[in-house]
Amino acid sequence: MLAPLLLRYFLSGDINTKLAGMDAVPATLHRIAATYVDGKQDTLDGLSVEYTDWHFNVRPSNTEPLLRLNLEAKTPEMMARKRDEVLALIRA
């Protein structure tokens, strides 16, 4: 059932990044939101940002100082480029 979708959308899978502490989580999410202010944003579960050809969600762990990134794009090249772009913001 999923095979046709996996040929159309390219997924990063869960990528966890440990932060310095729980107090770093809100500032990091704010920095990401400010960078992607031109995308459609939702904060129901962390931060989700949507564009026409790619989207992502970054959400904090409830128990550890880490952020979990999931990103999808319409091409593998775009997925890799945008994944690295968002990860650079998380890890800054």
Side-chain angles (χ1 to χ4, degrees):
M1 242 172 120
L2 290 175
L5 293 175
L6 294 175
L7 294 173
R8 253 181 99 180
Y9 301 101
F10 300 89
L11 317 173
S12 69
D14 285 346
I15 302 172
N16 294 323
T17 301
K18 192 163 189 156
L19 302 179
M22 294 297 277
D23 57 331
V25 170
T28 303
L29 288 173
H30 179 74
R31 182 172 58 248
I32 297 167
T35 301
Y36 297 104
V37 71
D38 61 333
K40 180 181 174 190
Q41 295 189 7
D42 184 277
T43 57
L44 182 63
D45 182 22
L47 172 67
S48 296
V49 181
E50 184 178 335
Y51 293 91
T52 56
D53 51 357
W54 71 287
H55 64 270
F56 70 91
N57 173 265
V58 178
R59 61 186 175 90
S61 167
N62 289 326
T63 58
E64 299 177 87
L66 66 82
L67 289 176
R68 180 169 291 118
L69 169 65
N70 281 283
L71 188 142
E72 295 182 18
K74 289 193 176 180
T75 68
E77 297 81 15
M78 177 179 281
M79 188 280 296
R81 187 175 71 252
K82 294 301 185 179
R83 176 201 62 212
D84 294 348
E85 185 179 287
V86 177
L87 282 173
L89 288 169
I90 293 171
R91 296 172 178 169

Coordinates of all heavy atoms in Angstrom, one line a residue:
M1 N 0.8 -1.2 0.0 CA 0.0 0.0 0.0 C 0.9 1.3 0.0 O 0.5 2.2 -0.6 CB -0.9 0.0 1.2 CG -2.3 0.0 0.9 SD -3.3 -0.2 2.5 CE -4.2 1.3 2.4
L2 N 1.9 1.2 0.7 CA 2.8 2.4 0.8 C 3.8 2.6 -0.3 O 4.3 3.7 -0.6 CB 3.6 2.4 2.1 CG 2.8 2.6 3.4 CD1 3.7 2.4 4.6 CD2 2.1 4.0 3.4
A3 N 4.0 1.5 -1.0 CA 5.0 1.5 -2.1 C 4.8 2.7 -3.1 O 5.8 3.4 -3.4 CB 5.1 0.2 -2.8
P4 N 3.6 3.0 -3.6 CA 3.5 4.1 -4.5 C 3.8 5.4 -3.9 O 4.4 6.3 -4.5 CB 2.0 4.1 -4.9 CG 1.5 2.7 -4.6 CD 2.4 2.2 -3.5
L5 N 3.5 5.6 -2.6 CA 3.8 6.9 -1.9 C 5.3 7.0 -1.7 O 5.9 8.1 -1.8 CB 3.1 6.9 -0.6 CG 1.6 7.0 -0.7 CD1 1.0 7.0 0.7 CD2 1.2 8.3 -1.4
L6 N 6.0 5.9 -1.4 CA 7.5 6.0 -1.2 C 8.2 6.3 -2.5 O 9.4 6.7 -2.4 CB 8.0 4.7 -0.6 CG 7.4 4.4 0.8 CD1 7.9 3.0 1.3 CD2 7.9 5.5 1.8
L7 N 7.6 6.0 -3.6 CA 8.2 6.4 -4.9 C 8.0 7.9 -5.2 O 8.7 8.5 -6.1 CB 7.7 5.5 -6.0 CG 8.0 4.0 -5.9 CD1 7.3 3.3 -7.0 CD2 9.6 3.9 -6.0
R8 N 7.0 8.5 -4.6 CA 6.6 9.9 -4.8 C 7.2 10.9 -3.8 O 7.4 12.0 -4.2 CB 5.1 10.0 -4.8 CG 4.5 10.2 -6.1 CD 3.0 10.3 -6.0 NE 2.6 11.8 -6.0 CZ 1.4 12.2 -6.0 NH1 0.4 11.3 -5.8 NH2 1.1 13.4 -6.0
Y9 N 7.4 10.4 -2.6 CA 7.9 11.3 -1.5 C 9.1 10.7 -0.9 O 9.1 9.4 -0.6 CB 6.8 11.5 -0.5 CG 5.5 12.1 -1.1 CD1 4.4 11.3 -1.4 CD2 5.5 13.5 -1.3 CE1 3.3 11.9 -1.9 CE2 4.3 14.0 -1.9 CZ 3.3 13.3 -2.2 OH 2.1 13.8 -2.8
F10 N 10.1 11.5 -0.6 CA 11.3 11.0 -0.1 C 11.4 11.4 1.4 O 11.3 12.6 1.7 CB 12.5 11.4 -0.9 CG 12.3 10.9 -2.3 CD1 11.6 11.6 -3.3 CD2 12.8 9.6 -2.7 CE1 11.4 11.0 -4.6 CE2 12.6 9.1 -3.9 CZ 11.9 9.8 -4.9
L11 N 11.7 10.5 2.3 CA 11.6 10.7 3.7 C 12.9 10.7 4.4 O 13.8 9.8 4.1 CB 10.7 9.6 4.4 CG 9.4 9.2 3.7 CD1 8.8 8.0 4.3 CD2 8.5 10.4 3.6
S12 N 13.1 11.5 5.4 CA 14.4 11.5 6.1 C 14.4 10.5 7.2 O 15.4 10.0 7.6 CB 14.6 12.9 6.8 OG 13.6 13.1 7.8
G13 N 13.2 10.1 7.7 CA 13.1 9.2 8.8 C 13.4 10.1 10.1 O 13.6 11.2 10.0
D14 N 13.2 9.4 11.3 CA 13.5 10.2 12.5 C 15.0 10.5 12.6 O 15.8 9.6 12.6 CB 13.1 9.3 13.7 CG 11.6 9.3 14.0 OD1 10.9 10.1 13.4 OD2 11.2 8.4 14.7
I15 N 15.3 11.7 12.9 CA 16.7 12.1 13.1 C 16.7 12.9 14.4 O 16.2 14.0 14.6 CB 17.3 13.0 12.0 CG1 17.2 12.3 10.6 CG2 18.7 13.5 12.3 CD1 17.5 13.2 9.5
N16 N 17.4 12.3 15.4 CA 17.4 12.8 16.8 C 18.7 13.6 16.9 O 19.8 13.2 16.6 CB 17.4 11.8 17.8 CG 16.0 11.1 17.9 OD1 15.0 11.7 17.6 ND2 16.1 9.8 18.1
T17 N 18.6 14.8 17.5 CA 19.8 15.6 17.8 C 19.7 16.0 19.3 O 18.7 16.7 19.7 CB 19.8 16.9 17.0 OG1 19.9 16.5 15.6 CG2 21.0 17.8 17.3
K18 N 20.7 15.7 20.1 CA 20.8 16.0 21.5 C 21.2 17.5 21.6 O 22.2 17.9 21.0 CB 21.7 15.1 22.2 CG 21.6 15.2 23.7 CD 22.2 14.0 24.4 CE 21.9 14.1 25.8 NZ 21.9 12.8 26.5
L19 N 20.5 18.2 22.5 CA 20.9 19.6 22.7 C 21.6 19.7 24.1 O 21.6 18.7 24.8 CB 19.6 20.5 22.7 CG 18.8 20.4 21.4 CD1 17.5 21.3 21.6 CD2 19.6 20.9 20.3
A20 N 22.1 20.9 24.4 CA 22.8 21.1 25.6 C 22.0 20.9 26.9 O 22.5 20.5 27.9 CB 23.4 22.5 25.6
G21 N 20.7 21.2 26.8 CA 19.8 21.0 27.9 C 18.4 21.3 27.5 O 18.2 21.9 26.4
M22 N 17.4 21.0 28.4 CA 16.0 21.3 28.1 C 15.8 22.8 27.8 O 14.9 23.1 27.0 CB 15.1 20.8 29.2 CG 15.2 19.3 29.4 SD 14.6 18.3 28.0 CE 12.8 18.4 28.2
D23 N 16.5 23.6 28.4 CA 16.3 25.1 28.2 C 16.7 25.5 26.8 O 16.3 26.6 26.3 CB 17.0 25.9 29.2 CG 18.5 25.6 29.3 OD1 19.0 24.5 28.9 OD2 19.3 26.5 29.6
A24 N 17.4 24.7 26.1 CA 17.8 25.0 24.7 C 16.7 24.7 23.7 O 16.7 25.3 22.6 CB 19.1 24.3 24.3
V25 N 15.8 23.9 24.1 CA 14.7 23.5 23.1 C 13.9 24.7 22.6 O 13.7 24.9 21.4 CB 13.8 22.4 23.8 CG1 12.6 22.1 22.9 CG2 14.7 21.1 24.0
P26 N 13.3 25.5 23.5 CA 12.4 26.6 23.0 C 13.2 27.6 22.1 O 12.7 28.0 21.1 CB 11.9 27.3 24.3 CG 12.1 26.3 25.4 CD 13.3 25.5 25.0
A27 N 14.4 27.9 22.4 CA 15.2 28.9 21.6 C 15.5 28.3 20.3 O 15.5 29.0 19.2 CB 16.5 29.2 22.4
T28 N 15.8 27.0 20.2 CA 16.1 26.3 18.9 C 14.8 26.3 18.1 O 14.9 26.6 16.9 CB 16.6 24.9 19.2 OG1 17.8 25.0 20.0 CG2 17.0 24.2 17.9
L29 N 13.7 25.9 18.6 CA 12.4 25.9 17.9 C 12.1 27.3 17.4 O 11.7 27.5 16.2 CB 11.3 25.4 18.7 CG 11.3 23.9 19.0 CD1 10.3 23.5 20.0 CD2 11.2 23.1 17.7
H30 N 12.3 28.3 18.2 CA 12.1 29.7 17.8 C 13.0 30.1 16.6 O 12.5 30.7 15.6 CB 12.3 30.7 19.0 CG 12.1 32.1 18.6 ND1 10.8 32.6 18.4 CD2 12.9 33.1 18.4 CE1 10.9 33.9 18.1 NE2 12.2 34.2 18.0
R31 N 14.3 29.7 16.7 CA 15.2 30.0 15.6 C 14.8 29.4 14.3 O 14.8 30.0 13.2 CB 16.6 29.6 16.0 CG 17.7 29.9 14.9 CD 19.1 29.6 15.4 NE 19.3 28.2 15.8 CZ 19.5 27.8 17.0 NH1 19.6 28.7 18.0 NH2 19.7 26.5 17.3
I32 N 14.3 28.1 14.3 CA 13.8 27.4 13.1 C 12.6 28.1 12.6 O 12.4 28.3 11.4 CB 13.6 25.9 13.4 CG1 14.9 25.3 13.9 CG2 13.0 25.2 12.2 CD1 14.7 23.9 14.5
A33 N 11.6 28.4 13.5 CA 10.4 29.1 13.1 C 10.7 30.4 12.4 O 10.1 30.8 11.4 CB 9.5 29.3 14.3
A34 N 11.6 31.2 12.9 CA 12.0 32.5 12.4 C 12.6 32.3 11.0 O 12.4 33.2 10.1 CB 12.9 33.2 13.3
T35 N 13.4 31.3 10.8 CA 14.0 31.0 9.5 C 13.0 30.7 8.4 O 13.1 31.1 7.3 CB 15.1 29.9 9.6 OG1 16.0 30.3 10.6 CG2 15.7 29.6 8.3
Y36 N 12.0 29.9 8.8 CA 11.0 29.4 7.8 C 9.6 30.1 8.0 O 8.6 29.5 7.8 CB 10.8 27.9 7.9 CG 12.1 27.2 7.6 CD1 12.9 26.7 8.6 CD2 12.6 27.1 6.3 CE1 14.1 26.0 8.3 CE2 13.7 26.5 6.0 CZ 14.5 25.9 7.0 OH 15.7 25.3 6.7
V37 N 9.7 31.4 8.3 CA 8.5 32.2 8.5 C 7.6 32.3 7.3 O 6.4 32.5 7.4 CB 8.8 33.6 9.1 CG1 9.5 34.5 8.0 CG2 7.6 34.3 9.6
D38 N 8.2 32.1 6.1 CA 7.4 32.1 4.8 C 6.6 30.8 4.5 O 5.8 30.8 3.6 CB 8.3 32.5 3.6 CG 9.4 31.4 3.4 OD1 9.8 30.8 4.4 OD2 9.8 31.3 2.3
G39 N 6.9 29.8 5.3 CA 6.1 28.5 5.2 C 4.9 28.5 6.1 O 4.7 29.3 7.0
K40 N 4.0 27.6 5.8 CA 2.8 27.5 6.6 C 3.2 26.7 7.9 O 3.7 25.6 7.9 CB 1.7 26.7 5.9 CG 0.5 26.5 6.7 CD -0.6 25.6 5.9 CE -1.7 25.3 6.8 NZ -2.6 24.3 6.2
Q41 N 3.0 27.4 9.1 CA 3.5 26.8 10.3 C 2.4 26.4 11.2 O 1.3 27.0 11.2 CB 4.4 27.8 11.1 CG 5.6 28.2 10.3 CD 6.6 29.0 11.2 OE1 6.4 29.2 12.4 NE2 7.7 29.5 10.6
D42 N 2.7 25.3 12.0 CA 1.7 24.8 13.0 C 2.6 24.4 14.2 O 3.7 23.8 14.0 CB 1.0 23.6 12.4 CG -0.1 23.0 13.3 OD1 0.3 22.3 14.2 OD2 -1.2 23.4 13.2
T43 N 2.1 24.6 15.4 CA 2.8 24.3 16.6 C 2.1 23.3 17.5 O 2.3 23.2 18.7 CB 3.1 25.6 17.4 OG1 1.9 26.3 17.7 CG2 4.1 26.5 16.6
L44 N 1.2 22.5 16.9 CA 0.4 21.6 17.7 C 1.3 20.5 18.3 O 1.2 20.2 19.5 CB -0.6 20.9 16.8 CG -1.5 19.9 17.5 CD1 -2.3 20.5 18.6 CD2 -2.4 19.2 16.5
D45 N 2.3 20.0 17.5 CA 3.2 19.0 18.0 C 4.7 19.4 17.7 O 5.2 19.0 16.6 CB 2.9 17.6 17.4 CG 3.8 16.5 17.9 OD1 4.4 16.7 19.0 OD2 3.9 15.5 17.2
G46 N 5.2 20.3 18.5 CA 6.5 20.8 18.1 C 6.3 21.9 17.1 O 5.5 22.8 17.3
L47 N 7.1 21.9 16.0 CA 7.0 22.9 14.9 C 6.9 22.1 13.6 O 7.8 21.4 13.3 CB 8.2 23.8 14.9 CG 8.3 24.8 13.7 CD1 7.1 25.8 13.7 CD2 9.6 25.5 13.7
S48 N 5.8 22.3 12.9 CA 5.6 21.8 11.6 C 5.6 23.0 10.6 O 5.0 24.0 10.9 CB 4.3 21.0 11.4 OG 4.3 19.9 12.2
V49 N 6.4 22.8 9.5 CA 6.4 23.8 8.5 C 6.2 23.2 7.1 O 6.8 22.1 6.8 CB 7.8 24.6 8.5 CG1 7.8 25.7 7.4 CG2 8.1 25.2 9.8
E50 N 5.3 23.8 6.3 CA 4.9 23.2 5.1 C 5.1 24.1 3.9 O 4.7 25.3 4.0 CB 3.4 22.8 5.2 CG 2.9 22.1 3.9 CD 1.4 21.7 4.1 OE1 0.9 21.5 5.2 OE2 0.7 21.6 3.1
Y51 N 5.7 23.6 2.9 CA 5.8 24.3 1.6 C 5.2 23.4 0.5 O 4.8 22.2 0.8 CB 7.3 24.5 1.3 CG 8.0 25.5 2.2 CD1 8.6 25.0 3.3 CD2 8.0 26.8 1.9 CE1 9.2 25.9 4.2 CE2 8.6 27.7 2.8 CZ 9.2 27.3 3.9 OH 9.8 28.2 4.7
T52 N 5.1 23.8 -0.7 CA 4.4 23.1 -1.7 C 5.1 21.8 -2.1 O 4.5 20.8 -2.4 CB 4.2 23.9 -3.0 OG1 5.4 24.4 -3.5 CG2 3.2 25.0 -2.8
D53 N 6.4 21.8 -2.0 CA 7.2 20.6 -2.4 C 8.0 19.9 -1.3 O 8.7 19.0 -1.6 CB 8.1 20.9 -3.6 CG 8.9 22.2 -3.4 OD1 8.8 22.8 -2.3 OD2 9.7 22.5 -4.3
W54 N 7.9 20.4 -0.1 CA 8.5 19.8 1.0 C 7.9 20.2 2.3 O 7.3 21.3 2.4 CB 10.1 20.0 1.0 CG 10.5 21.4 1.3 CD1 10.4 22.5 0.5 CD2 11.1 21.8 2.5 NE1 10.9 23.6 1.2 CE2 11.4 23.2 2.4 CE3 11.5 21.2 3.7 CZ2 12.0 24.0 3.4 CZ3 12.1 22.0 4.7 CH2 12.4 23.3 4.5
H55 N 8.1 19.5 3.4 CA 7.6 19.9 4.7 C 8.4 19.1 5.8 O 9.1 18.1 5.5 CB 6.1 19.6 4.9 CG 5.7 18.2 4.8 ND1 5.4 17.6 3.6 CD2 5.6 17.3 5.8 CE1 5.1 16.3 3.9 NE2 5.2 16.1 5.2
F56 N 8.4 19.6 7.0 CA 9.1 19.0 8.1 C 8.4 19.2 9.4 O 7.5 20.2 9.5 CB 10.5 19.4 8.2 CG 10.7 20.9 8.6 CD1 10.9 21.2 9.9 CD2 10.8 21.9 7.7 CE1 11.1 22.5 10.3 CE2 11.0 23.2 8.1 CZ 11.1 23.5 9.4
N57 N 8.7 18.4 10.4 CA 8.3 18.5 11.8 C 9.5 18.4 12.6 O 10.3 17.5 12.4 CB 7.2 17.5 12.1 CG 6.9 17.5 13.6 OD1 7.4 16.8 14.4 ND2 6.0 18.4 14.0
V58 N 9.7 19.3 13.6 CA 10.7 19.2 14.6 C 10.0 19.2 15.9 O 9.2 20.1 16.2 CB 11.7 20.3 14.5 CG1 12.7 20.2 15.6 CG2 12.4 20.4 13.2
R59 N 10.2 18.2 16.7 CA 9.5 18.1 18.0 C 10.4 17.7 19.1 O 11.3 16.9 18.9 CB 8.2 17.2 18.0 CG 8.5 15.8 17.6 CD 7.2 15.1 17.5 NE 7.4 13.7 17.1 CZ 7.6 12.7 17.9 NH1 7.5 12.9 19.2 NH2 7.8 11.5 17.4
P60 N 10.2 18.2 20.3 CA 11.1 17.9 21.4 C 10.7 16.6 22.1 O 9.5 16.2 22.0 CB 10.9 19.1 22.4 CG 9.5 19.6 22.1 CD 9.3 19.3 20.6
S61 N 11.6 15.9 22.7 CA 11.4 14.8 23.5 C 10.8 15.3 24.8 O 11.1 16.4 25.3 CB 12.7 14.0 23.8 OG 12.5 13.1 24.8
N62 N 9.9 14.5 25.4 CA 9.4 14.9 26.7 C 10.3 14.6 27.9 O 10.2 15.1 29.0 CB 8.0 14.2 27.0 CG 6.9 14.7 26.1 OD1 6.9 15.9 25.8 ND2 6.0 13.9 25.7
T63 N 11.3 13.7 27.6 CA 12.1 13.2 28.7 C 13.6 13.6 28.6 O 14.4 13.4 29.5 CB 12.0 11.7 28.9 OG1 12.3 11.1 27.6 CG2 10.6 11.4 29.3
E64 N 14.0 13.9 27.4 CA 15.5 14.2 27.1 C 15.6 15.5 26.4 O 14.7 16.0 25.7 CB 16.0 13.1 26.2 CG 16.0 11.7 26.8 CD 16.5 10.7 25.7 OE1 17.8 10.5 25.7 OE2 15.7 10.2 25.0
P65 N 16.8 16.1 26.5 CA 17.0 17.4 25.8 C 17.4 17.1 24.3 O 18.5 17.3 23.9 CB 18.2 18.0 26.5 CG 19.0 16.9 27.1 CD 17.9 15.8 27.4
L66 N 16.4 16.7 23.5 CA 16.7 16.4 22.1 C 15.5 16.8 21.3 O 14.4 16.9 21.8 CB 17.0 14.9 21.9 CG 16.0 13.8 22.1 CD1 15.1 13.6 20.9 CD2 16.8 12.5 22.3
L67 N 15.8 17.1 20.0 CA 14.8 17.4 19.0 C 14.8 16.3 18.0 O 15.9 15.8 17.6 CB 15.1 18.8 18.4 CG 14.9 20.0 19.2 CD1 15.3 21.3 18.5 CD2 13.4 20.1 19.7
R68 N 13.6 16.0 17.5 CA 13.5 14.9 16.5 C 12.9 15.6 15.2 O 11.9 16.2 15.2 CB 12.5 13.9 17.0 CG 12.2 12.7 16.1 CD 11.4 11.6 16.8 NE 12.3 11.0 17.8 CZ 12.0 11.0 19.1 NH1 10.9 11.5 19.5 NH2 12.8 10.4 19.9
L69 N 13.7 15.4 14.2 CA 13.3 15.9 12.9 C 12.8 14.8 12.0 O 13.4 13.7 11.9 CB 14.6 16.6 12.2 CG 14.4 17.0 10.7 CD1 13.4 18.1 10.5 CD2 15.8 17.3 10.1
N70 N 11.7 15.1 11.3 CA 11.2 14.3 10.2 C 10.9 15.2 9.0 O 10.2 16.3 9.2 CB 9.8 13.6 10.6 CG 10.1 12.4 11.4 OD1 10.5 11.4 10.9 ND2 9.9 12.5 12.7
L71 N 11.4 14.9 7.9 CA 11.3 15.8 6.7 C 10.9 14.9 5.5 O 11.4 13.8 5.3 CB 12.6 16.5 6.5 CG 12.6 17.6 5.5 CD1 13.5 18.7 5.9 CD2 13.1 17.1 4.1
E72 N 10.0 15.5 4.6 CA 9.6 14.8 3.4 C 9.8 15.9 2.3 O 9.5 17.0 2.4 CB 8.2 14.4 3.4 CG 7.9 13.3 4.4 CD 6.5 12.8 4.4 OE1 5.8 13.1 3.4 OE2 6.0 12.2 5.3
A73 N 10.2 15.4 1.1 CA 10.3 16.2 -0.1 C 10.0 15.4 -1.3 O 9.9 14.2 -1.3 CB 11.7 16.8 -0.2
K74 N 9.8 16.1 -2.4 CA 9.4 15.5 -3.7 C 10.5 14.9 -4.5 O 10.3 14.1 -5.4 CB 8.5 16.4 -4.5 CG 7.2 16.7 -3.9 CD 6.3 17.4 -4.9 CE 4.9 17.5 -4.3 NZ 3.9 18.2 -5.2
T75 N 11.7 15.2 -4.1 CA 12.9 14.6 -4.8 C 13.9 14.2 -3.7 O 14.0 14.8 -2.7 CB 13.6 15.5 -5.8 OG1 14.2 16.6 -5.1 CG2 12.6 16.1 -6.8
P76 N 14.7 13.2 -4.0 CA 15.7 12.8 -3.0 C 16.8 13.9 -2.8 O 17.2 14.1 -1.7 CB 16.3 11.5 -3.6 CG 15.8 11.3 -5.0 CD 14.7 12.2 -5.1
E77 N 17.1 14.6 -3.9 CA 18.1 15.7 -3.7 C 17.5 16.8 -2.8 O 18.3 17.3 -2.0 CB 18.4 16.3 -5.1 CG 19.1 15.3 -6.1 CD 18.1 14.3 -6.8 OE1 16.9 14.6 -6.8 OE2 18.6 13.3 -7.3
M78 N 16.3 17.2 -3.0 CA 15.7 18.2 -2.2 C 15.6 17.8 -0.8 O 15.9 18.5 0.2 CB 14.3 18.6 -2.7 CG 13.6 19.7 -1.8 SD 12.0 20.2 -2.4 CE 12.6 21.3 -3.7
M79 N 15.2 16.5 -0.6 CA 15.1 16.0 0.8 C 16.5 16.1 1.5 O 16.6 16.6 2.6 CB 14.6 14.5 0.8 CG 14.3 14.0 2.2 SD 15.8 13.4 3.1 CE 16.3 12.1 2.1
A80 N 17.5 15.7 0.8 CA 18.9 15.7 1.4 C 19.3 17.2 1.7 O 19.8 17.5 2.8 CB 19.9 15.0 0.5
R81 N 19.1 18.1 0.8 CA 19.4 19.5 0.9 C 18.7 20.1 2.1 O 19.3 20.8 2.9 CB 19.2 20.2 -0.4 CG 19.7 21.6 -0.4 CD 19.6 22.3 -1.7 NE 18.2 22.6 -2.1 CZ 17.5 22.0 -3.0 NH1 18.0 21.0 -3.7 NH2 16.2 22.4 -3.2
K82 N 17.4 19.9 2.1 CA 16.6 20.6 3.2 C 16.8 19.9 4.5 O 16.8 20.6 5.5 CB 15.1 20.5 2.8 CG 14.7 21.3 1.6 CD 15.1 22.8 1.8 CE 14.6 23.7 0.7 NZ 15.0 25.1 0.9
R83 N 17.0 18.6 4.5 CA 17.3 17.9 5.8 C 18.6 18.5 6.4 O 18.6 18.9 7.6 CB 17.6 16.4 5.5 CG 18.0 15.6 6.7 CD 18.7 14.3 6.3 NE 19.9 14.6 5.5 CZ 20.3 13.8 4.6 NH1 19.7 12.7 4.2 NH2 21.4 14.1 3.9
D84 N 19.6 18.7 5.6 CA 20.9 19.2 6.1 C 20.7 20.7 6.5 O 21.3 21.1 7.5 CB 22.0 19.1 5.0 CG 22.3 17.7 4.7 OD1 21.9 16.8 5.5 OD2 23.0 17.4 3.7
E85 N 19.9 21.4 5.8 CA 19.6 22.8 6.1 C 19.0 22.9 7.5 O 19.4 23.8 8.3 CB 18.7 23.4 5.0 CG 18.4 24.9 5.1 CD 17.5 25.2 3.9 OE1 18.0 25.3 2.8 OE2 16.3 25.5 4.2
V86 N 17.9 22.1 7.7 CA 17.2 22.2 9.0 C 18.1 21.7 10.1 O 18.2 22.2 11.2 CB 15.9 21.4 9.0 CG1 15.2 21.4 10.3 CG2 15.0 22.1 7.9
L87 N 18.9 20.6 9.9 CA 19.8 20.1 10.9 C 20.8 21.1 11.3 O 21.2 21.2 12.5 CB 20.4 18.8 10.4 CG 19.6 17.5 10.5 CD1 20.3 16.4 9.8 CD2 19.2 17.2 11.9
A88 N 21.3 21.9 10.3 CA 22.3 22.9 10.7 C 21.7 23.9 11.6 O 22.4 24.4 12.5 CB 22.8 23.6 9.4
L89 N 20.4 24.2 11.5 CA 19.8 25.2 12.4 C 19.6 24.6 13.8 O 19.8 25.2 14.8 CB 18.4 25.6 11.9 CG 18.4 26.5 10.7 CD1 17.0 26.6 10.1 CD2 18.9 27.9 11.1
I90 N 19.3 23.3 13.8 CA 19.1 22.6 15.1 C 20.4 22.5 15.8 O 20.5 22.7 17.0 CB 18.5 21.2 14.9 CG1 17.1 21.2 14.3 CG2 18.6 20.4 16.2 CD1 16.5 19.9 13.9
R91 N 21.5 22.2 15.1 CA 22.8 22.0 15.7 C 23.6 23.2 15.9 O 24.8 23.2 16.4 CB 23.5 20.9 14.9 CG 22.8 19.6 14.9 CD 23.4 18.6 14.0 NE 22.6 17.3 14.1 CZ 22.7 16.3 13.3 NH1 23.6 16.4 12.3 NH2 22.0 15.2 13.5
A92 N 23.1 24.4 15.5 CA 23.9 25.7 15.6 C 24.1 26.1 17.1 O 23.3 25.8 17.9 CB 23.1 26.8 14.9

